[in-house]
Amino acid sequence: MKLLEIFWDDIPYAVLAAAAVGTWWRYRYDKFGWTTRSSQIYESKLLSIGSPMFHFGSLAVILGHIMGLFVPEWLTRDIGMSDHIYHLQALLLGVPAGFATLIGIGLLVYRRRAYGPVYLSTTRNDKLMYFVLVCALVAGMCCTLAGATHFGELHDYRQKVSVWFRSIWILDPRGDLMAHAAFYYQIHVFIALALFALWPFTRLVHAFSAPIAYLFRPYIVYRSRDVADTPELIGTAPRRRGW
Ligand code: HEM
């Protein structure tokens, strides 16, 4: 058990260091490769269903994790939320979000396999990333479902996993708590940490440059011009001089 405690004490810092140095390295040496490597040009129908499902599902899963990992149990109790209600809302919101994310990524992986040009543009790096991502999602769903059915006994992650998670950020790691958490939480978090360590070396870097400003910028007004009225727009017809 001692070894496991040391592992959970130290591994988050190794992952944070790999992610930070890796991101700096990628930005410094592969700025032009900092992209999603979009394959929309090869296939757009399945992409237009799978991609929003995956991304909006992930957003809901992330919000759920922020609430579950950063908000201490005493705080939700103090505001009058019973443990039963807390777990019920986590289940009712978390399970659909997790399933939407999984179905979304299922469609995206299927599309990669089924459409020749998309398949040809898929690298070994992409395949590894998809594999770890899908494993993290499936293991996360198993945690929620196992926690909900109590799997024989009650494993409340808010007393172990969440306290361990917060302890990392205040530089007082509580690996002992994680070492005593249910095995399915340990597996899920281990896979999630592997994903974070791989992050800077994969297409996932595009998440750091999400076009958030796009939501707030003013509209761009497009006007169409009737081609028949403006023959100079057709082919190589000589252009009329503007003034
Ligand atoms: C250190 C990082 C992480 C920790 C400590 C963590 C912890 C947890 C815990 C405790 C649960 C169970 C929640 C419940 O029963 O209500 C859970 C569920 C879940 N996790 Fe994570 N997780 C981490 C990272 C990730 C990542 C990177 C992904 C996605 C790739 C992910 C995807 C999921 C999903 C899909 C669920 C089930 C649905 C949900 O609750 O939203 N987790 N996670």
Side-chain angles (χ1 to χ4, degrees):
M1 219 23 133
K2 198 76 196 147
L3 261 182
L4 206 56
E5 286 178 24
I6 295 171
F7 175 80
W8 287 115
D9 271 345
D10 296 338
I11 195 73
Y13 297 108
V15 168
L16 279 172
V21 175
T23 306
W24 169 81
W25 172 85
R26 179 84 187 264
Y27 189 74
R28 181 86 175 74
Y29 294 102
D30 187 28
K31 218 175 273 179
F32 288 110
W34 189 287
T35 156
T36 56
R37 282 193 293 100
S38 170
S39 55
Q40 186 179 11
I41 195 165
Y42 305 131
E43 195 284 335
S44 61
K45 203 156 174 234
L46 265 183
L47 184 71
S48 68
I49 306 168
S51 179
M53 258 183 122
F54 170 72
H55 284 91
F56 285 112
S58 300
L59 204 63
V61 169
I62 292 170
L63 291 176
H65 277 65
I66 292 175
M67 167 134 183
L69 298 176
F70 280 106
V71 179
E73 202 170 21
W74 59 261
L75 195 74
T76 42
R77 280 198 190 140
D78 272 11
I79 60 168
M81 189 187 260
S82 70
D83 286 358
H84 177 70
I85 294 292
Y86 178 87
H87 287 294
L88 196 66
Q89 62 84 29
L91 198 67
L92 292 180
L93 299 173
V95 171
F99 270 121
T101 314
L102 261 177
I103 295 170
I105 197 141
L107 285 174
L108 295 176
V109 171
Y110 166 77
R111 169 181 172 273
R112 293 233 153 229
R113 197 65 199 82
Y115 290 83
V118 187
Y119 182 64
L120 288 177
S121 71
T122 308
T123 63
R124 253 191 285 178
N125 179 308
D126 293 335
K127 288 177 196 164
L128 175 69
M129 181 274 288
Y130 273 117
F131 177 71
V132 181
L133 184 57
V134 171
C135 286
L137 290 168
V138 171
M141 288 301 289
C142 291
C143 288
T144 301
L145 297 175
T149 54
H150 297 172
F151 211 66
E153 54 179 311
L154 178 62
H155 288 297
D156 192 344
Y157 66 88
R158 300 184 82 202
Q159 283 148 18
K160 289 184 179 144
V161 183
S162 305
V163 180
W164 164 80
F165 183 81
R166 291 195 296 274
S167 75
I168 296 162
W169 304 103
I170 54 169
L171 304 182
D172 182 18
R174 294 287 314 272
D176 54 316
L177 290 174
M178 200 56 200
H180 289 93
F183 74 95
Y184 42 83
Y185 291 131
Q186 298 199 35
I187 291 173
H188 171 54
V189 176
F190 179 74
I191 302 171
L193 291 178
L195 184 70
F196 293 145
L198 280 176
W199 199 286
F201 310 101
T202 66
R203 288 196 295 142
L204 294 176
V205 284
H206 78 270
F208 296 139
S209 24
I212 293 171
Y214 182 88
L215 299 173
F216 308 103
R217 68 159 170 71
Y219 294 119
I220 295 176
V221 182
Y222 291 97
R223 290 196 185 88
S224 58
R225 249 201 281 182
D226 195 345
V227 175
D229 293 342
T230 50
E232 71 272 18
L233 291 179
I234 303 172
T236 53
R239 285 178 174 260
R240 215 184 314 148
R241 276 189 66 201
W243 60 275

